[in-house]
Amino acid sequence: MSTGPPHGAELPWNFLALPPEQSAYDASRFLVLPVPYDGTVSYRIGAREGPAAIIDASRQMEDYDIELERETCVLGIHTLPEVQPHPDGPEATVDRVQKAVAAACRPGAVMVTLGGEHSITVGAVRALRERHPDLSVLMLDAHADFRHSYQGSEYSHATVGRRIAEVCPLAIAGVRSLSLEEREALEELGQPMYTWPQARSTAELADVLLSHLTGTVYVTIDLDVLDPSIMSAVGTPEPGGMLWAETLELLRAVARRRRIVGFDLMELAPPEGPVSCAYTAAKLAYKLMGYATLN
């Protein structure tokens, strides 16, 4: 069931409340796909409300980006219909997301998926891997999400890293919590994973991550990678996370040296925090759109 629009009906119901000339599918550089799904969450629920909350918050943002000195939205941002969960469960839902991304994403467009729980990233990555054989993934997450299965499912929010690594090269950063099973699997497979905080600077971490990434990159962000002081509205918060300036510095460095063909923001659970969290997520999505044009 759709969770939007909650208010502000006088504004267009799309990302940034754009008029038709800036939000038409054929003319838009960015395609926003909302996926209101949280079928495998294991702690605090509410991620299904994340996409609508992000879009609603974006409708109150300024179009002008102070840092980039321009309005990224002039390139066009089209908001696609929501992808509803499949009644057969998480694997079927991932497959449905894969088909939706494959059908929507056209040459030259950047796919932006809004979750929803992190498991749905697998569908987006699989679809874009078919379009970009040299695809690699940068995952920012407070958790390694590298279990083979969790609570009986191989398509849980706690297995997304493992499933992505089966598809294409993956670099993980921001980790502050993982299980012994995950630690052993990461070491056995030689999977690049970097905890937070780092002894190295953010710029040095970016250099290390870039060494693991191909020229074409998909960025997946579990919002719990951010510190709870700025992002409390997540299902599994972890103390000691990345702050706003550090996050932007890292993403900007990657965008300048790699081609970002898609990204997502996952795990916003609006009931678990103030409305500022949805606004922060929307702002981060818009910043990443701008960064995706730097290369």
Side-chain angles (χ1 to χ4, degrees):
M1 179 180 295
S2 172
T3 51
H7 68 271
E10 70 281 1
L11 297 174
W13 179 251
N14 60 44
F15 192 91
L16 220 59
L18 296 174
E21 61 270 21
Q22 291 184 333
S23 59
Y25 172 78
D26 291 339
S28 291
R29 177 77 173 273
F30 302 97
L31 305 175
V32 177
L33 182 68
V35 187
Y37 174 67
D38 58 3
T40 76
V41 293
S42 53
Y43 187 21
R44 303 194 297 178
I45 63 172
R48 73 186 66 181
E49 301 176 34
I54 293 172
I55 292 170
D56 189 41
S58 77
R59 297 159 76 231
Q60 309 303 322
M61 293 190 332
E62 296 288 359
D63 298 352
Y64 182 73
D65 187 307
I66 295 174
E67 175 195 358
L68 299 178
E69 298 183 332
R70 58 182 168 82
E71 294 183 339
T72 302
C73 62
V74 299
L75 298 174
I77 305 172
H78 176 75
T79 303
L80 295 155
E82 291 180 341
V83 176
Q84 295 300 323
H86 197 290
D88 289 344
E91 184 174 1
T93 297
V94 167
D95 182 64
R96 177 172 282 182
V97 171
Q98 180 177 350
K99 291 176 180 175
V101 172
C105 195
R106 49 179 176 70
V110 176
M111 199 74 206
V112 180
T113 305
L114 301 179
E117 67 164 66
H118 209 175
S119 64
I120 59 183
T121 295
V122 177
V125 169
R126 286 177 174 173
L128 291 178
R129 171 72 166 180
E130 293 178 357
R131 183 177 290 273
H132 305 282
D134 64 333
L135 188 72
S136 60
V137 175
L138 171 62
M139 185 170 94
L140 302 184
D141 200 320
H143 308 88
D145 288 351
F146 215 75
R147 288 174 166 87
H148 178 71
S149 65
Y150 189 65
Q151 294 183 338
S153 175
E154 294 183 8
Y155 291 87
S156 162
H157 70 99
T159 68
V160 60
R162 191 70 167 265
R163 298 289 84 81
I164 292 173
E166 295 168 352
V167 176
C168 61
L170 168 69
I172 308 171
V175 174
R176 310 191 294 282
S177 178
L178 76 165
S179 67
L180 178 60
E181 172 200 345
E182 290 172 302
R183 168 62 75 180
E184 292 173 344
L186 289 161
E187 292 176 352
E188 179 182 351
L189 297 174
Q191 170 60 52
M193 187 276 292
Y194 300 92
T195 57
W196 188 271
Q198 287 280 306
R200 55 175 65 90
S201 68
T202 305
E204 290 171 331
L205 175 60
D207 288 339
V208 173
L209 292 170
L210 284 162
S211 71
H212 300 296
L213 298 173
T214 62
T216 304
V217 173
Y218 183 94
V219 179
T220 177
I221 300 177
D222 186 326
L223 289 166
D224 65 25
V225 76
L226 300 175
D227 190 79
S229 63
I230 62 170
M231 184 53 66
S232 58
V234 292
T236 49
E238 289 285 346
M242 298 174 68
L243 298 176
W244 181 251
E246 298 165 330
T247 305
L248 294 190
E249 181 183 1
L250 182 61
L251 293 171
R252 188 167 54 243
V254 171
R256 282 176 172 159
R257 295 158 64 182
R258 297 292 187 270
R259 182 168 67 110
I260 295 177
V261 297
F263 67 86
D264 63 49
L265 298 180
M266 298 294 164
E267 300 282 352
L268 178 71
E272 301 300 335
V275 70
S276 61
C277 293
Y279 192 91
T280 297
K283 190 87 169 183
L284 183 57
Y286 195 48
K287 294 296 292 186
L288 254 175
M289 290 180 195
Y291 291 166
T293 69
L294 293 178
N295 188 326

